[in-house]
Structure formats: structure tokens, C-alpha cells
Amino acid sequence: MNRSTRSALDVLTKFTRFRHRKLLSSPKLQIQICPISGGNDFRSIIKDEPLQENGTQKKPAMDNSSLEESVFNMFKNPENNLVNIGQILTVIERTGVRRTDPRLAEMVDKLSKYHKKHGAENTTLDNLNVDLSTFKELVDANIVLISQTMQNKMIIPEWPAFCQMVKDIFNRCKSNHSGEVATYIPQLARYSKDQWAMSVCTVDGQRMSLGDVGVSFTMQSCSKPFTYATCLKELGPEVVHKYIGHEPSGRNFNEICLDRDKKPHNPMLNSGAIMSCGLLLQLMEPKSSLAEKYDFMLRSMQKLAGNEFIGFNNAVFLSERETADRNFAMGYYMKENNCFPENLDLHDCLDLYFQSCSLEVNSEALAVMG
């Protein structure tokens, strides 16, 4: 274990102990069990709500009126009975949810239109003050997420403390300049090893990013789980696993081998990822042109990334194809063993595989996908 890995683990351990101590030492902290998003998934939510003198918990700020009214009443100015939109957006962002989150798009769009029509000159959305009826109209489409953030019912309720721990990990690892960039594809050797970024996206959409988050890089083997996921979604596991296994191989990722049933051991090996692209070509979009099949794969990746940045690096694609002797050998070995669906063109399949590896993302997009 290298020094940076030990440092990262040390910070994570301290964060775990910090949360444990916080739970045990503070008499004010209560644990509330609540269903997330209306399902059966129950999680413990930490609420900083003091006990009353008789030992019972203080009544939550959210009342039994509509969600819109409850949020409005939590933040209204008692002097004029108006709510400041900037204050609402600030509370949302403190939980880690960005105002640019697609789940808030309807509200932000309505706010922009309302501000353009009613807002004072040279002001921003944050300067808007609205009454209850206007507030209801503005937030109605996204009120479930808004009320979740208002009550801090997030998977990581102590978001600022978590962010500080992540920053500590980032800064400790930033000083590690050991290692080299990949050179097995000539074009990859041109990347700078000094670029360093970190992005986080939780299951509740809490996000943070540090460093060179705008710098794009090709997905390479990170594309494998996503092409496999697309196959599962479109074809179902029974069809997919007729062609791809789901057991560990005990071999290198690019080993020229198959399991006892003459299938790739799993979709995370090169052979399995090549097969995923073969299924996409031959079973998923059999009548489409090669251009349409590439577009289908690209659109699938964009959906998985929440419409964050997804691009394509043609130089890396060409460089990868020119140096792909082992992948071609793997493809022909699979073809010899009748692994592929009937009538598949191996070169088209390998081209789609190289294209999937040459898709570009940045750390923010990959955090959403993962």
C-alpha cells in the first residue's frame, strides 16, 4: 500500500469516527427513520432537533399542510409574509444539490421567466421575494426534492463535514506525482500526468468537484459496465448471459481465453466488452446503419451521465485501432469458437468497441454515471 493510499484511508477512517462520535456525544441529535422517495428503502436521517423539557422530541418544522405551504412557512418573513428565493436556493445548495440539477429544471425555468417579468432591474433570481400563491406556482413541479432538501433528508446529511474530508483526501493525494500516464495506446501518452480532479455524486444527487474537472479524457475500460448495462436494459439478462458469463476469470483483463461454455467470463474483460458491442450491433439495432448504432450508444451514455458532457476523441480511436492486434486476436478467437450472434461483422464490432473506449468524459460526468 503506497503512502497516498494510506493517507486516503486514514482520512476516511477519521471521518467514520467523526460521525460515530457525533452521534454518541450530542444529546441533541435524533435519528429519524423515513422512507426515501416513497419506496420501501428506509434510512436513518440525522436531525439536529433538541429535546423539549419533558424529554419529548420537538415537533418537526414541516407541518401537515401542503408541502409548498410547509416550505413557505419555514422561510417566510413574518413582517411581510414573503419568501426570499435566494434563501431557498442557498439552503438547497448547502445540502449538495445544485440549482442546475435537472430535477429542479422546471422551477429554475419558471423563476427565470418570473424574474424577467417582475424582477427589479440589475438583480438576480436570488433577489426575488414572492408570496405564497406565487411560490406554489414556481415550485410545484419540483416540490418533492425541494422539501427533501429543506428537511435535510439526504443520504449524507452532514454534507459540509463530508466535503471537508474529501478536500483533505484531495489535497493529500495532489502531492503524489509518482506513476506515469498510459502508453499502450500512443495517443494516450500525450496526456499530462499533472492533471488532477475529483468529483462526487451521491445517490441523492449531492455533488462536489475539485481540481481539473473541466479536462476531458477518454473512458477506455470505464465504458465496459455501461455498454453492458445498456445491453441488460434493452435485451434482458437471459439474452445477454447466453453470450457473456458473469463469473471472475482469474486472468488478466486482456487475456485470450473463454470459460468452459465458450463465452467471455464476464463483461469487464476485453472479450466481454467486445461481446457487449456485438450484441448492441446485431441484436439491439439489427436494421440500423453503423452511424445510427453509434448514435444509439452515444445517446445511452448521455442518459447515464444525466446529460453531462460526453464527447468523442477521434485521434484516440484511430490510435487504438492501429495498435489493437491483441483485441483483433481475441475477436478472431471468439469467432472461431462461434461466440458471436449470427452474421456479425467482426470488424464493425471491434470498431464500435474502440469507439466506446474513445468516448470522452470529464470527472463530473463520470461521477454521475458511476
Side-chain angles (χ1 to χ4, degrees):
M1 185 182 294
N2 62 38
R3 184 173 61 184
S4 294
T5 305
R6 285 197 300 269
S7 298
L9 289 174
D10 180 55
V11 174
L12 285 173
T13 301
K14 288 181 178 179
F15 177 58
T16 303
R17 290 173 179 169
F18 161 78
R19 291 190 64 184
H20 186 62
R21 286 200 305 271
K22 189 174 180 182
L23 280 169
L24 292 179
S25 62
S26 176
K28 294 184 177 181
L29 289 173
Q30 304 298 312
I31 297 200
Q32 173 183 341
I33 306 298
C34 64
I36 302 297
S37 302
N40 294 322
D41 181 12
F42 286 82
R43 298 175 182 150
S44 297
I45 304 300
I46 298 176
K47 304 274 290 178
D48 191 4
E49 294 173 353
L51 298 179
Q52 299 184 89
E53 292 183 1
N54 60 5
T56 61
Q57 189 172 338
K58 185 179 179 181
K59 182 181 177 181
M62 299 289 282
D63 55 38
N64 293 324
S65 57
S66 71
L67 289 175
E68 295 91 336
E69 289 183 58
S70 298
V71 174
F72 183 88
N73 290 333
M74 287 171 66
F75 294 96
K76 71 178 179 182
N77 184 333
E79 294 181 1
N80 57 18
N81 284 329
L82 299 178
V83 156
N84 176 255
I85 294 300
Q87 185 180 8
I88 298 292
L89 294 174
T90 298
V91 173
I92 291 173
E93 289 176 324
R94 281 177 182 169
T95 66
V97 176
R98 297 174 178 175
R99 67 176 69 187
T100 56
D101 192 305
R103 297 170 297 172
L104 296 175
E106 294 94 334
M107 180 191 72
V108 173
D109 182 59
K110 288 180 180 179
L111 283 171
S112 298
K113 291 177 180 177
Y114 183 85
H115 178 260
K116 187 175 181 180
K117 187 175 181 179
H118 301 286
E121 190 175 355
N122 300 321
T123 61
T124 66
L125 298 181
D126 296 59
N127 299 111
L128 286 175
N129 294 287
V130 298
D131 58 24
L132 177 58
S133 62
T134 303
F135 182 76
K136 285 184 175 181
E137 293 177 9
L138 293 172
V139 305
D140 175 70
N142 308 126
I143 189 58
V144 174
L145 177 60
I146 295 169
S147 63
Q148 182 184 356
T149 58
M150 294 299 106
Q151 299 176 85
N152 199 20
K153 291 184 177 180
M154 311 300 287
I155 191 65
I156 302 181
E158 307 97 334
W159 184 247
F162 172 81
C163 289
Q164 186 57 54
M165 293 293 176
V166 172
K167 288 177 184 177
D168 291 342
I169 295 172
F170 177 86
N171 290 327
R172 291 190 186 192
C173 296
K174 188 176 182 179
S175 60
N176 182 359
H177 296 284
S178 61
E180 300 295 334
V181 297
T183 57
Y184 63 94
I185 297 171
Q187 201 68 21
L188 296 182
R190 301 187 178 188
Y191 282 81
S192 170
K193 70 175 185 178
D194 295 325
Q195 291 168 345
W196 171 229
M198 179 185 291
S199 294
V200 174
C201 180
T202 72
V203 293
D204 278 340
Q206 298 165 279
R207 299 179 63 182
M208 70 167 294
S209 287
L210 300 164
D212 302 314
V213 296
V215 176
S216 59
F217 52 90
T218 54
M219 294 183 72
Q220 296 302 319
S221 285
C222 290
S223 66
K224 293 174 181 176
F226 304 115
T227 51
Y228 173 60
T230 301
C231 289
L232 289 176
K233 177 179 181 293
E234 299 294 330
L235 299 173
E238 290 187 8
V239 173
V240 173
H241 291 146
K242 287 180 181 178
Y243 298 92
I244 308 174
H246 44 81
E247 296 294 337
S249 68
R251 310 286 187 90
N252 288 334
F253 71 97
N254 62 352
E255 190 85 8
I256 300 177
C257 64
L258 297 170
D259 67 13
R260 66 183 67 184
D261 297 318
K262 300 299 181 184
K263 298 188 294 187
H265 287 81
N266 62 69
M268 300 302 109
L269 304 178
N270 284 13
S271 57
I274 291 169
M275 181 60 75
S276 292
C277 291
L279 297 182
L280 192 155
L281 279 176
Q282 203 64 18
L283 299 184
M284 214 175 301
E285 296 285 320
K287 297 182 180 180
S288 301
S289 67
L290 291 176
E292 289 171 331
K293 290 171 181 178
Y294 167 79
D295 280 342
F296 176 81
M297 178 184 69
L298 179 61
R299 288 195 303 270
S300 299
M301 294 289 189
Q302 288 171 333
K303 288 179 182 178
L304 289 166
N307 292 318
E308 292 284 339
F309 169 77
I310 299 279
F312 179 72
N313 191 317
N314 193 54
V316 171
F317 164 68
L318 294 173
S319 182
E320 187 158 353
R321 186 168 62 177
E322 287 173 0
T323 56
D325 293 340
R326 191 169 188 84
N327 284 322
F328 274 101
M330 183 71 242
Y332 278 108
Y333 179 65
M334 293 165 67
K335 185 176 181 181
E336 179 188 23
N337 285 276
N338 299 312
C339 296
F340 293 109
E342 291 183 4
N343 303 318
L344 177 124
D345 186 302
L346 179 59
H347 283 250
D348 289 343
C349 176
L350 287 168
D351 268 358
L352 189 64
Y353 170 64
F354 302 144
Q355 287 167 341
S356 70
C357 293
S358 302
L359 291 174
E360 279 193 325
V361 294
N362 53 35
S363 64
E364 291 227 304
L366 199 56
V368 175
M369 295 176 78

Short mmCIF file of all heavy atoms in Angstrom, two decimals, residues 249-298:
data_model
loop_
_atom_site.label_atom_id
_atom_site.label_comp_id
_atom_site.label_asym_id
_atom_site.label_seq_id
_atom_site.Cartn_x
_atom_site.Cartn_y
_atom_site.Cartn_z
N SER A 249 -12.65 -14.41 -13.91
CA SER A 249 -11.83 -15.28 -14.76
C SER A 249 -10.54 -15.70 -14.08
O SER A 249 -9.97 -16.74 -14.41
CB SER A 249 -11.49 -14.55 -16.07
OG SER A 249 -10.60 -13.47 -15.81
N GLY A 250 -10.05 -14.89 -13.15
CA GLY A 250 -8.74 -15.17 -12.56
C GLY A 250 -7.60 -14.87 -13.52
O GLY A 250 -6.46 -15.26 -13.28
N ARG A 251 -7.91 -14.20 -14.62
CA ARG A 251 -6.90 -13.88 -15.65
C ARG A 251 -6.79 -12.37 -15.82
O ARG A 251 -7.57 -11.60 -15.26
CB ARG A 251 -7.31 -14.49 -16.99
CG ARG A 251 -7.68 -15.97 -16.95
CD ARG A 251 -6.47 -16.86 -16.79
NE ARG A 251 -6.85 -18.26 -16.91
CZ ARG A 251 -6.86 -18.94 -18.05
NH1 ARG A 251 -6.54 -18.33 -19.18
NH2 ARG A 251 -7.18 -20.22 -18.08
N ASN A 252 -5.82 -11.94 -16.62
CA ASN A 252 -5.69 -10.52 -16.95
C ASN A 252 -6.88 -10.06 -17.79
O ASN A 252 -7.52 -10.86 -18.47
CB ASN A 252 -4.39 -10.27 -17.71
CG ASN A 252 -3.16 -10.40 -16.83
OD1 ASN A 252 -3.24 -10.20 -15.61
ND2 ASN A 252 -2.04 -10.75 -17.42
N PHE A 253 -7.12 -8.75 -17.76
CA PHE A 253 -8.30 -8.20 -18.45
C PHE A 253 -8.26 -8.44 -19.95
O PHE A 253 -9.30 -8.49 -20.61
CB PHE A 253 -8.41 -6.69 -18.17
CG PHE A 253 -7.35 -5.87 -18.85
CD1 PHE A 253 -7.61 -5.24 -20.06
CD2 PHE A 253 -6.09 -5.71 -18.28
CE1 PHE A 253 -6.65 -4.48 -20.70
CE2 PHE A 253 -5.12 -4.95 -18.91
CZ PHE A 253 -5.39 -4.34 -20.12
N ASN A 254 -7.06 -8.59 -20.53
CA ASN A 254 -6.95 -8.77 -21.98
C ASN A 254 -6.47 -10.16 -22.37
O ASN A 254 -5.96 -10.38 -23.47
CB ASN A 254 -6.02 -7.71 -22.58
CG ASN A 254 -4.59 -7.79 -22.03
OD1 ASN A 254 -4.33 -8.55 -21.09
ND2 ASN A 254 -3.68 -7.03 -22.61
N GLU A 255 -6.65 -11.11 -21.45
CA GLU A 255 -6.24 -12.49 -21.72
C GLU A 255 -7.10 -13.09 -22.83
O GLU A 255 -8.32 -12.89 -22.88
CB GLU A 255 -6.40 -13.33 -20.44
CG GLU A 255 -5.79 -14.71 -20.51
CD GLU A 255 -4.32 -14.72 -20.16
OE1 GLU A 255 -3.81 -13.68 -19.71
OE2 GLU A 255 -3.70 -15.77 -20.34
N ILE A 256 -6.46 -13.84 -23.73
CA ILE A 256 -7.18 -14.51 -24.81
C ILE A 256 -7.66 -15.86 -24.28
O ILE A 256 -6.95 -16.87 -24.34
CB ILE A 256 -6.30 -14.67 -26.07
CG1 ILE A 256 -5.86 -13.29 -26.56
CG2 ILE A 256 -7.05 -15.41 -27.17
CD1 ILE A 256 -4.92 -13.33 -27.76
N CYS A 257 -8.86 -15.86 -23.73
CA CYS A 257 -9.40 -17.06 -23.13
C CYS A 257 -10.92 -16.96 -23.04
O CYS A 257 -11.48 -15.86 -23.12
CB CYS A 257 -8.82 -17.31 -21.73
SG CYS A 257 -9.24 -16.02 -20.53
N LEU A 258 -11.59 -18.11 -22.90
CA LEU A 258 -13.03 -18.19 -22.72
C LEU A 258 -13.32 -19.13 -21.56
O LEU A 258 -12.44 -19.87 -21.11
CB LEU A 258 -13.70 -18.70 -24.00
CG LEU A 258 -13.55 -17.83 -25.26
CD1 LEU A 258 -14.04 -18.58 -26.49
CD2 LEU A 258 -14.28 -16.50 -25.11
N ASP A 259 -14.56 -19.10 -21.06
CA ASP A 259 -14.90 -20.03 -19.98
C ASP A 259 -15.24 -21.40 -20.56
O ASP A 259 -15.15 -21.64 -21.78
CB ASP A 259 -16.04 -19.46 -19.12
CG ASP A 259 -17.36 -19.36 -19.86
OD1 ASP A 259 -17.50 -19.94 -20.96
OD2 ASP A 259 -18.28 -18.68 -19.35
N ARG A 260 -15.65 -22.32 -19.72
CA ARG A 260 -15.91 -23.70 -20.17
C ARG A 260 -17.08 -23.80 -21.13
O ARG A 260 -17.21 -24.79 -21.85
CB ARG A 260 -16.16 -24.59 -18.95
CG ARG A 260 -17.43 -24.26 -18.17
CD ARG A 260 -17.57 -25.13 -16.94
NE ARG A 260 -16.54 -24.85 -15.96
CZ ARG A 260 -16.40 -25.53 -14.82
NH1 ARG A 260 -17.23 -26.51 -14.53
NH2 ARG A 260 -15.44 -25.22 -13.98
N ASP A 261 -17.94 -22.77 -21.13
CA ASP A 261 -19.07 -22.74 -22.06
C ASP A 261 -18.77 -21.96 -23.33
O ASP A 261 -19.67 -21.63 -24.10
CB ASP A 261 -20.30 -22.11 -21.37
CG ASP A 261 -20.77 -22.93 -20.18
OD1 ASP A 261 -20.79 -24.16 -20.30
OD2 ASP A 261 -21.09 -22.32 -19.14
N LYS A 262 -17.49 -21.66 -23.55
CA LYS A 262 -17.04 -20.92 -24.73
C LYS A 262 -17.67 -19.52 -24.78
O LYS A 262 -18.11 -19.05 -25.83
CB LYS A 262 -17.36 -21.69 -26.01
CG LYS A 262 -16.70 -23.06 -26.09
CD LYS A 262 -15.18 -22.94 -26.07
CE LYS A 262 -14.51 -24.30 -26.17
NZ LYS A 262 -13.03 -24.20 -26.06
N LYS A 263 -17.71 -18.86 -23.64
CA LYS A 263 -18.18 -17.48 -23.55
C LYS A 263 -17.13 -16.65 -22.83
O LYS A 263 -16.34 -17.20 -22.03
CB LYS A 263 -19.49 -17.40 -22.74
CG LYS A 263 -20.66 -18.16 -23.34
CD LYS A 263 -21.96 -17.85 -22.58
CE LYS A 263 -21.92 -18.39 -21.17
NZ LYS A 263 -23.23 -18.24 -20.48
N PRO A 264 -17.09 -15.34 -23.06
CA PRO A 264 -16.25 -14.48 -22.20
C PRO A 264 -16.66 -14.65 -20.74
O PRO A 264 -17.86 -14.76 -20.44
CB PRO A 264 -16.56 -13.08 -22.71
CG PRO A 264 -17.05 -13.26 -24.11
CD PRO A 264 -17.78 -14.57 -24.11
N HIS A 265 -15.70 -14.67 -19.84
CA HIS A 265 -16.01 -14.92 -18.44
C HIS A 265 -16.97 -13.88 -17.85
O HIS A 265 -17.87 -14.22 -17.10
CB HIS A 265 -14.72 -14.93 -17.60
CG HIS A 265 -13.88 -16.15 -17.81
ND1 HIS A 265 -13.02 -16.29 -18.88
CD2 HIS A 265 -13.77 -17.30 -17.08
CE1 HIS A 265 -12.41 -17.46 -18.80
NE2 HIS A 265 -12.83 -18.09 -17.73
N ASN A 266 -16.76 -12.60 -18.19
CA ASN A 266 -17.61 -11.53 -17.66
C ASN A 266 -17.45 -10.29 -18.53
O ASN A 266 -16.51 -10.18 -19.32
CB ASN A 266 -17.28 -11.24 -16.19
CG ASN A 266 -15.86 -10.75 -16.00
OD1 ASN A 266 -15.52 -9.64 -16.41
ND2 ASN A 266 -15.01 -11.57 -15.39
N PRO A 267 -18.35 -9.32 -18.41
CA PRO A 267 -18.34 -8.14 -19.29
C PRO A 267 -17.25 -7.13 -18.99
O PRO A 267 -17.09 -6.17 -19.75
CB PRO A 267 -19.73 -7.53 -19.07
CG PRO A 267 -20.13 -7.97 -17.71
CD PRO A 267 -19.56 -9.34 -17.54
N MET A 268 -16.48 -7.33 -17.91
CA MET A 268 -15.43 -6.38 -17.59
C MET A 268 -14.10 -6.73 -18.26
O MET A 268 -13.16 -5.94 -18.20
CB MET A 268 -15.23 -6.29 -16.07
CG MET A 268 -16.47 -5.85 -15.30
SD MET A 268 -17.09 -4.23 -15.81
CE MET A 268 -18.60 -4.71 -16.64
N LEU A 269 -14.00 -7.91 -18.87
CA LEU A 269 -12.83 -8.25 -19.66
C LEU A 269 -12.97 -7.67 -21.06
O LEU A 269 -14.07 -7.35 -21.51
CB LEU A 269 -12.68 -9.77 -19.75
CG LEU A 269 -12.59 -10.54 -18.43
CD1 LEU A 269 -12.50 -12.04 -18.72
CD2 LEU A 269 -11.39 -10.09 -17.62
N ASN A 270 -11.86 -7.52 -21.77
CA ASN A 270 -11.94 -7.03 -23.14
C ASN A 270 -12.86 -7.89 -23.98
O ASN A 270 -13.66 -7.39 -24.77
CB ASN A 270 -10.55 -6.97 -23.77
CG ASN A 270 -9.73 -5.80 -23.27
OD1 ASN A 270 -10.08 -5.16 -22.28
ND2 ASN A 270 -8.63 -5.51 -23.94
N SER A 271 -12.75 -9.21 -23.82
CA SER A 271 -13.59 -10.12 -24.60
C SER A 271 -15.08 -9.90 -24.30
O SER A 271 -15.92 -9.90 -25.21
CB SER A 271 -13.21 -11.58 -24.31
OG SER A 271 -13.31 -11.85 -22.92
N GLY A 272 -15.42 -9.68 -23.02
CA GLY A 272 -16.81 -9.44 -22.65
C GLY A 272 -17.33 -8.12 -23.17
O GLY A 272 -18.48 -8.02 -23.61
N ALA A 273 -16.48 -7.09 -23.16
CA ALA A 273 -16.89 -5.78 -23.67
C ALA A 273 -17.05 -5.81 -25.19
O ALA A 273 -17.94 -5.16 -25.74
CB ALA A 273 -15.86 -4.73 -23.27
N ILE A 274 -16.18 -6.56 -25.87
CA ILE A 274 -16.34 -6.74 -27.31
C ILE A 274 -17.67 -7.41 -27.61
O ILE A 274 -18.39 -7.03 -28.53
CB ILE A 274 -15.15 -7.55 -27.89
CG1 ILE A 274 -13.87 -6.72 -27.82
CG2 ILE A 274 -15.43 -8.00 -29.32
CD1 ILE A 274 -12.60 -7.50 -28.12
N MET A 275 -18.02 -8.40 -26.80
CA MET A 275 -19.29 -9.10 -27.00
C MET A 275 -20.48 -8.17 -26.73
O MET A 275 -21.50 -8.22 -27.43
CB MET A 275 -19.38 -10.32 -26.09
CG MET A 275 -20.67 -11.13 -26.27
SD MET A 275 -20.88 -11.74 -27.96
CE MET A 275 -19.70 -13.09 -27.95
N SER A 276 -20.37 -7.30 -25.71
CA SER A 276 -21.45 -6.33 -25.46
C SER A 276 -21.69 -5.47 -26.69
O SER A 276 -22.85 -5.22 -27.07
CB SER A 276 -21.09 -5.44 -24.26
OG SER A 276 -21.07 -6.17 -23.06
N CYS A 277 -20.61 -5.03 -27.33
CA CYS A 277 -20.76 -4.23 -28.54
C CYS A 277 -21.34 -5.07 -29.68
O CYS A 277 -22.11 -4.56 -30.51
CB CYS A 277 -19.41 -3.64 -28.94
SG CYS A 277 -18.81 -2.37 -27.80
N GLY A 278 -20.99 -6.36 -29.72
CA GLY A 278 -21.56 -7.24 -30.72
C GLY A 278 -23.06 -7.41 -30.55
O GLY A 278 -23.82 -7.42 -31.53
N LEU A 279 -23.51 -7.51 -29.30
CA LEU A 279 -24.95 -7.63 -29.03
C LEU A 279 -25.67 -6.34 -29.39
O LEU A 279 -26.79 -6.36 -29.91
CB LEU A 279 -25.18 -7.96 -27.55
CG LEU A 279 -24.61 -9.29 -27.05
CD1 LEU A 279 -24.96 -9.49 -25.57
CD2 LEU A 279 -25.12 -10.46 -27.87
N LEU A 280 -25.02 -5.21 -29.10
CA LEU A 280 -25.62 -3.93 -29.45
C LEU A 280 -25.79 -3.82 -30.97
O LEU A 280 -26.82 -3.36 -31.46
CB LEU A 280 -24.74 -2.80 -28.91
CG LEU A 280 -25.32 -1.38 -28.91
CD1 LEU A 280 -24.63 -0.55 -27.84
CD2 LEU A 280 -25.15 -0.70 -30.26
N LEU A 281 -24.78 -4.29 -31.71
CA LEU A 281 -24.82 -4.22 -33.16
C LEU A 281 -25.86 -5.16 -33.76
O LEU A 281 -26.67 -4.77 -34.60
CB LEU A 281 -23.45 -4.57 -33.74
CG LEU A 281 -22.38 -3.49 -33.77
CD1 LEU A 281 -21.08 -4.08 -34.30
CD2 LEU A 281 -22.79 -2.31 -34.64
N GLN A 282 -25.83 -6.42 -33.32
CA GLN A 282 -26.55 -7.45 -34.04
C GLN A 282 -27.95 -7.74 -33.50
O GLN A 282 -28.85 -8.11 -34.24
CB GLN A 282 -25.73 -8.75 -34.04
CG GLN A 282 -26.05 -9.70 -35.17
CD GLN A 282 -25.70 -9.12 -36.54
OE1 GLN A 282 -24.94 -8.16 -36.63
NE2 GLN A 282 -26.29 -9.66 -37.59
N LEU A 283 -28.15 -7.58 -32.19
CA LEU A 283 -29.44 -7.92 -31.59
C LEU A 283 -30.27 -6.70 -31.22
O LEU A 283 -31.49 -6.73 -31.27
CB LEU A 283 -29.23 -8.79 -30.34
CG LEU A 283 -28.53 -10.14 -30.56
CD1 LEU A 283 -28.50 -10.91 -29.25
CD2 LEU A 283 -29.20 -10.96 -31.66
N MET A 284 -29.60 -5.62 -30.84
CA MET A 284 -30.32 -4.47 -30.33
C MET A 284 -30.82 -3.57 -31.45
O MET A 284 -31.95 -3.11 -31.45
CB MET A 284 -29.42 -3.68 -29.37
CG MET A 284 -30.14 -3.03 -28.23
SD MET A 284 -28.98 -2.25 -27.11
CE MET A 284 -27.96 -3.63 -26.63
N GLU A 285 -29.96 -3.29 -32.40
CA GLU A 285 -30.31 -2.40 -33.51
C GLU A 285 -29.91 -3.08 -34.82
O GLU A 285 -29.10 -2.55 -35.59
CB GLU A 285 -29.56 -1.07 -33.35
CG GLU A 285 -29.95 -0.26 -32.14
CD GLU A 285 -31.30 0.41 -32.28
OE1 GLU A 285 -31.62 0.90 -33.37
OE2 GLU A 285 -32.06 0.42 -31.29
N PRO A 286 -30.49 -4.25 -35.12
CA PRO A 286 -30.01 -5.04 -36.27
C PRO A 286 -30.23 -4.39 -37.62
O PRO A 286 -29.46 -4.64 -38.56
CB PRO A 286 -30.81 -6.34 -36.15
CG PRO A 286 -32.03 -5.98 -35.38
CD PRO A 286 -31.60 -4.91 -34.42
N LYS A 287 -31.24 -3.57 -37.78
CA LYS A 287 -31.56 -2.98 -39.07
C LYS A 287 -31.02 -1.56 -39.24
O LYS A 287 -31.19 -0.95 -40.29
CB LYS A 287 -33.07 -2.99 -39.30
CG LYS A 287 -33.67 -4.39 -39.35
CD LYS A 287 -35.17 -4.34 -39.61
CE LYS A 287 -35.75 -5.75 -39.65
NZ LYS A 287 -37.22 -5.72 -39.90
N SER A 288 -30.39 -1.05 -38.22
CA SER A 288 -29.87 0.32 -38.28
C SER A 288 -28.52 0.35 -38.97
O SER A 288 -27.80 -0.66 -39.02
CB SER A 288 -29.74 0.91 -36.88
OG SER A 288 -30.98 0.92 -36.22
N SER A 289 -28.16 1.52 -39.49
CA SER A 289 -26.83 1.69 -40.08
C SER A 289 -25.79 1.77 -38.98
O SER A 289 -26.11 1.95 -37.79
CB SER A 289 -26.80 2.97 -40.92
OG SER A 289 -26.93 4.11 -40.08
N LEU A 290 -24.51 1.66 -39.35
CA LEU A 290 -23.44 1.74 -38.36
C LEU A 290 -23.46 3.10 -37.66
O LEU A 290 -23.22 3.19 -36.46
CB LEU A 290 -22.08 1.51 -39.03
CG LEU A 290 -21.83 0.09 -39.55
CD1 LEU A 290 -20.49 0.03 -40.27
CD2 LEU A 290 -21.85 -0.91 -38.39
N ALA A 291 -23.76 4.17 -38.42
CA ALA A 291 -23.82 5.51 -37.82
C ALA A 291 -24.94 5.60 -36.80
O ALA A 291 -24.78 6.18 -35.71
CB ALA A 291 -24.02 6.56 -38.90
N GLU A 292 -26.08 5.00 -37.10
CA GLU A 292 -27.22 5.02 -36.18
C GLU A 292 -26.93 4.20 -34.93
O GLU A 292 -27.35 4.56 -33.83
CB GLU A 292 -28.47 4.50 -36.89
CG GLU A 292 -29.02 5.45 -37.94
CD GLU A 292 -30.11 4.84 -38.78
OE1 GLU A 292 -30.11 3.59 -38.97
OE2 GLU A 292 -30.99 5.59 -39.25
N LYS A 293 -26.19 3.11 -35.10
CA LYS A 293 -25.84 2.28 -33.94
C LYS A 293 -24.87 3.01 -33.01
O LYS A 293 -24.97 2.91 -31.78
CB LYS A 293 -25.25 0.95 -34.41
CG LYS A 293 -26.29 0.06 -35.08
CD LYS A 293 -25.66 -1.15 -35.74
CE LYS A 293 -26.73 -2.00 -36.42
NZ LYS A 293 -26.17 -3.17 -37.13
N TYR A 294 -23.93 3.75 -33.61
CA TYR A 294 -23.03 4.56 -32.79
C TYR A 294 -23.82 5.64 -32.04
O TYR A 294 -23.60 5.87 -30.85
CB TYR A 294 -21.94 5.21 -33.64
CG TYR A 294 -21.19 6.28 -32.91
CD1 TYR A 294 -20.19 5.96 -31.99
CD2 TYR A 294 -21.49 7.64 -33.10
CE1 TYR A 294 -19.51 6.94 -31.29
CE2 TYR A 294 -20.82 8.62 -32.40
CZ TYR A 294 -19.84 8.27 -31.50
OH TYR A 294 -19.18 9.25 -30.80
N ASP A 295 -24.74 6.30 -32.75
CA ASP A 295 -25.57 7.33 -32.12
C ASP A 295 -26.40 6.76 -30.97
O ASP A 295 -26.58 7.41 -29.94
CB ASP A 295 -26.50 7.99 -33.15
CG ASP A 295 -25.78 9.03 -33.99
OD1 ASP A 295 -24.70 9.49 -33.57
OD2 ASP A 295 -26.30 9.38 -35.07
N PHE A 296 -26.90 5.54 -31.15
CA PHE A 296 -27.68 4.89 -30.10
C PHE A 296 -26.81 4.68 -28.86
O PHE A 296 -27.24 4.96 -27.72
CB PHE A 296 -28.22 3.55 -30.59
CG PHE A 296 -28.95 2.75 -29.53
CD1 PHE A 296 -30.27 3.04 -29.22
CD2 PHE A 296 -28.31 1.74 -28.83
CE1 PHE A 296 -30.94 2.33 -28.24
CE2 PHE A 296 -28.96 1.03 -27.85
CZ PHE A 296 -30.28 1.31 -27.55
N MET A 297 -25.58 4.19 -29.06
CA MET A 297 -24.68 4.00 -27.93
C MET A 297 -24.36 5.33 -27.26
O MET A 297 -24.36 5.43 -26.02
CB MET A 297 -23.39 3.33 -28.41
CG MET A 297 -22.35 3.12 -27.30
SD MET A 297 -20.80 2.43 -27.91
CE MET A 297 -20.17 3.84 -28.85
N LEU A 298 -24.10 6.36 -28.07
CA LEU A 298 -23.77 7.68 -27.51
C LEU A 298 -24.94 8.24 -26.70
O LEU A 298 -24.74 8.76 -25.59
CB LEU A 298 -23.40 8.64 -28.64
CG LEU A 298 -23.05 10.07 -28.23
CD1 LEU A 298 -21.85 10.10 -27.30
CD2 LEU A 298 -22.78 10.93 -29.47
#
